[in-house]
Amino acid sequence: MIDLLVAGGGPAGLATALYGARAGLDVAVVERRTGVLDKACGEGMMPHTVAHLDRLGVAAEGRPLRGISYLKGDRRVNASFTAGAGRGVRRTVLHAALLRAAEAAGVKLVHGEFGEITQHADSVSAAGFEARYLAAADGLHSPIRKAMGLDAATTGPRRWGIRRHVDIAPWTDSVEVHWSRSAEAYVTPVADDCVGIAMLSADRGGFDRHFEAFGELRDRVAGHAHGQDRAAGPLRQNVRNRTAGRVLLVGDAAGYIDALTGEGMGLAFGAAELLVDCVVRNSPEDYDRQWRLLTRRYRMLTAGLLAASGLRPVRSAIVPAAQALPSVFSRLVNLLAD
């Protein structure tokens, strides 16, 4: 019997496995897809996310990020990170680096379907393994979360994300958030010759339809699109609890509000560390409470900004207000970045 079985070999699952290996646990990861994985992602990591990678010994090449900028028309407001630089990293580069680190740490990496989960008094069985605990890192629409009866009703606007890469030298060392009436465009430098642009909106339509509202940005990158667009959503996923017996949810599977504040990866890595600590202490009952404490600031700020941005008069005032109160804007950014 192994200590920890991880369902899902994306960044959240691999980070969980790496924290488990660091704690001396016998860990296996089961992933149905092969090779390096890609998905819709803003690809900007906050300073505390970079700190997790450093602690795990993961070397993911990218571009340093000095802060966050909000833009609308000729208005712009910048907030610098006070806890050090963030990093823009292509999702495939990050995943490859995590895979290398997991292999070096002795994590068992298995390709296959996960199948049915059976829980016992002191173990859980799935995918041909028997483990003391199972970490479900199987994504935004987690089948394991549903099978465990942990889904909760989701209300409010259904928002989607679409990401496109553009072959162009970055013109900024921050994540730029461009605002239109119904969408946000997140520009993230991810390499010396590439930026990622992630579009978030509750309105229907593909990337190009939403991009029409961002004339100056659209003209800057015209003709330089690279690769296929990636989409994900609906983004909001409500969860009743992060644990069901010996099954613990981590990453997007543990619940999600929105990508508006760019905190998904940092929260996933932080939750991975908490999950492993609970496994080491044989205290899975502590995990949900600790997850809620870890994510409380993010959930409050993201939910508030999302609600405000859904009201057209308030939405149009977000960038002017941030420009008029730069110290407040900087404080809010660093509440999430630290």
Side-chain angles (χ1 to χ4, degrees), residues 140 157-161 179 184 186 200-202 234-238 252 255-264 267 298-299 302-303 305-307 309:
L140 195 65
R158 292 161 60 88
R159 300 237 302 170
W160 293 75
W179 292 76
E184 304 94 54
Y186 293 72
L200 296 180
S201 180
L235 298 175
R236 185 166 193 132
Q237 301 294 320
N238 291 340
D252 292 349
Y256 200 79
I257 296 178
D258 198 83
L260 195 61
T261 53
E263 275 293 276
L267 295 178
Y298 151 79
R299 289 184 287 113
T302 302
L305 184 55
L306 187 61
S309 67

Side-chain angles (χ1 to χ4, degrees), residues 90-124:
R90 288 189 69 149
R91 184 60 174 247
T92 50
V93 171
L94 174 63
H95 189 255
L98 286 163
L99 275 175
R100 289 193 299 270
E103 290 170 349
V107 173
K108 300 179 185 73
L109 301 172
V110 179
H111 170 235
E113 295 293 335
F114 206 75
E116 185 179 356
I117 298 168
T118 304
Q119 294 208 58
H120 314 285
D122 58 357
S123 67
V124 56

